[in-house]
Amino acid sequence: MKAMTLKCYNMLVLLFLLVNLSFYGNVRAQKNGLGASFIFGDSLVDAGNNNYLSTLSKANIPPNGIDFKASGGNPTGRYTNGRTIGDLVGEELGQPNYAVPFLAPNATGKSILYGVNYASGGGGILNATGQIFVNRIGMDVQLDYFNITRKQIDKLMGASKAREYIMKKSIFSITVGSNDFLNNYLLPVLSIGARISQSPDAFVDDMINHFRAQLTRLYKMDARKFVIGNVGPIGCIPYQKTINQLNEDECVDLANKLALQYNAKLKDMLVELNDNLPGATFVHANVYDLVMELIKNYDKYGFTTSSKACCGNGGQFSGIVPCGPTSSICKDRYKHVFWDPYHPSEAANLIIAKQLLDGDNRYISPLNLRQLRDL
């Protein structure tokens, strides 16, 4: 009987220790983890907002999402075969859930405390960007939506705690700018008038001035930790290579020159904002060089091609028709840098995310994302 009592006692002690370890482990994870991830931008990080719009830019059709485990391989509105860079970074920084799309019905209550995704396929810095898609959410409207979330967090936590949570525990990541070139200034035929009336310099300055105002507006809503991606080598995507009938190792010069011109001014602007907005940290993600490294040295990273889309149709690089049920699809998805004519594969996103999380000043500066979280 005594032996039985001793056994029960030992089991209770063990159970008590396990519960305490679990409790303190969770508290520590919460303390060290990211509070909320607020994601803004375009189709590179859209997690499903365009599902709720009447738009020509949608990814909620198979085989998109075929490798997205959380949905069982069903499309969610992500423009890739698996997770976006935003998803991967959130996972690594300790978020228990993906940031919920703002327009989704479940973007309510305590779920928004993990973060909200406002990104929209076709969206850009300028309001005119993406008109070809009929509907999309540009940056100005995305900030209007965050303003709604901001007030909801006040109600959930109380004004004082909410402000501290937003300022100290939350990261604001913004991936935008590509569409301002691809689906605005560089649009075949439709943009000729704009290019006659506005020089590349004037167009880039317009983008920078709008973006400065948008980032300052976020700061006024208590955002303090920012990560801003520059524009990638848009002249090297399968769509651009296909429509311009380029060889495998060629890229469209004008598109890349515009991206580099914008990127140089963006970097200067982020230095200026770090100097002028007290308490803010603007981290610069050098997406251009990161993606260009994958494109030029794809074999070093285990890829077999950086020019052909895994999912798409048309031309040498399957770069004209977007990914959908009638598209041809490659079998070795993890060996393609590009999932479709425009967007990286999950395999490429994994490499990019790793550099943003733990990389050095070549790709992420002045801090990497783990350091930004722990500020």
Side-chain angles (χ1 to χ4, degrees):
M1 190 73 177
K2 280 185 180 178
M4 189 71 176
T5 307
L6 187 63
K7 191 176 179 183
C8 287
Y9 174 77
N10 287 337
M11 284 182 73
L12 282 169
V13 170
L14 182 62
L15 187 63
F16 175 79
L17 287 170
L18 285 171
V19 167
N20 272 280
L21 281 169
S22 173
F23 172 75
Y24 288 113
N26 285 338
V27 168
R28 199 180 298 113
Q30 256 188 327
K31 191 178 176 187
N32 296 332
L34 178 63
S37 173
F38 296 107
I39 298 170
F40 302 81
D42 53 32
S43 56
L44 290 167
V45 287
D46 187 349
N49 280 305
N50 276 27
N51 298 353
Y52 305 96
L53 300 176
S54 296
T55 177
L56 298 175
S57 179
K58 282 185 185 278
N60 61 340
I61 49 173
N64 292 297
I66 191 169
D67 299 308
F68 191 65
K69 288 177 183 171
S71 69
N74 292 311
T76 60
R78 287 167 169 80
Y79 292 74
T80 185
N81 58 310
R83 292 163 293 178
T84 67
I85 294 168
D87 296 328
L88 293 162
V89 165
E91 278 180 19
E92 277 295 314
L93 293 183
Q95 270 198 297
N97 297 313
Y98 297 126
V100 62
F102 177 82
L103 295 180
N106 60 332
T108 57
K110 290 186 178 178
S111 69
I112 67 172
L113 296 178
Y114 297 117
V116 179
N117 186 308
Y118 306 90
S120 170
I125 292 167
L126 304 175
N127 290 321
T129 293
Q131 283 179 340
I132 191 173
F133 300 119
V134 184
N135 279 316
R136 74 279 172 227
I137 311 164
M139 273 299 294
D140 282 337
V141 178
Q142 290 182 35
L143 299 195
D144 291 342
Y145 287 165
F146 173 71
N147 192 35
I148 294 169
T149 302
R150 182 70 192 79
K151 289 170 183 171
Q152 289 171 335
I153 294 173
D154 271 350
K155 285 181 183 174
L156 286 166
M157 304 184 81
S160 176
K161 281 186 178 177
R163 190 161 189 262
E164 188 175 0
Y165 189 72
I166 298 292
M167 293 174 81
K168 294 182 179 176
K169 293 286 289 177
S170 303
I171 288 180
F172 291 75
S173 64
I174 304 166
T175 305
V176 74
S178 298
N179 284 316
D180 293 284
F181 295 115
L182 292 173
N183 292 303
N184 187 337
Y185 199 69
L186 292 174
L187 265 180
V189 184
L190 297 177
S191 67
I192 288 171
R195 273 186 270 175
I196 290 169
S197 63
Q198 199 173 24
S199 69
D201 281 350
F203 185 79
V204 166
D205 285 344
D206 202 13
M207 282 177 68
I208 291 291
N209 290 334
H210 272 80
F211 201 24
R212 182 187 291 107
Q214 288 160 352
L215 294 173
T216 305
R217 186 181 167 198
L218 266 179
Y219 175 84
K220 287 176 180 174
M221 290 190 274
D222 297 324
R224 290 297 181 271
K225 298 181 180 184
F226 297 83
V227 53
I228 315 294
N230 65 10
V231 172
I234 50 177
C236 302
I237 62 176
Y239 169 75
Q240 286 286 329
K241 286 191 177 196
T242 303
I243 65 165
N244 288 283
Q245 299 181 318
L246 300 183
N247 294 325
E248 199 165 352
D249 57 350
E250 291 180 310
C251 296
V252 178
D253 196 41
L254 173 61
N256 280 356
K257 274 185 178 170
L258 285 169
L260 288 169
Q261 193 174 338
Y262 165 80
N263 289 347
K265 293 194 174 185
L266 174 72
K267 194 172 184 181
D268 290 344
M269 182 188 76
L270 295 182
V271 170
E272 168 202 318
L273 291 177
N274 271 324
D275 289 342
N276 295 338
L277 297 179
T281 303
F282 286 87
V283 169
H284 174 254
N286 186 4
V287 176
Y288 187 98
D289 283 355
L290 241 175
V291 176
M292 189 60 95
E293 164 68 13
L294 288 185
I295 288 169
K296 284 185 174 176
N297 300 306
Y298 61 88
D299 50 346
K300 191 171 96 178
Y301 298 92
F303 296 107
T304 55
T305 176
S306 63
S307 53
K308 189 170 184 178
C310 172
C311 181
N313 276 323
Q316 184 184 352
F317 306 116
S318 301
I320 295 176
V321 182
C323 182
T326 60
S327 301
S328 60
I329 180 169
C330 67
K331 289 177 183 175
D332 48 356
R333 298 186 287 275
Y334 60 95
K335 291 194 173 181
H336 283 62
V337 171
F338 287 97
W339 163 244
D340 67 10
Y342 302 91
H343 307 99
S345 63
E346 184 186 72
N349 284 338
L350 277 161
I351 294 167
I352 296 165
K354 175 68 178 161
Q355 287 291 352
L356 299 182
L357 285 157
D358 301 307
D360 57 30
N361 282 354
R362 279 179 308 160
Y363 298 131
I364 185 93
S365 61
L367 306 167
N368 64 39
L369 295 193
R370 282 193 212 277
Q371 293 166 333
L372 180 66
R373 176 197 62 188
D374 297 337
L375 265 185

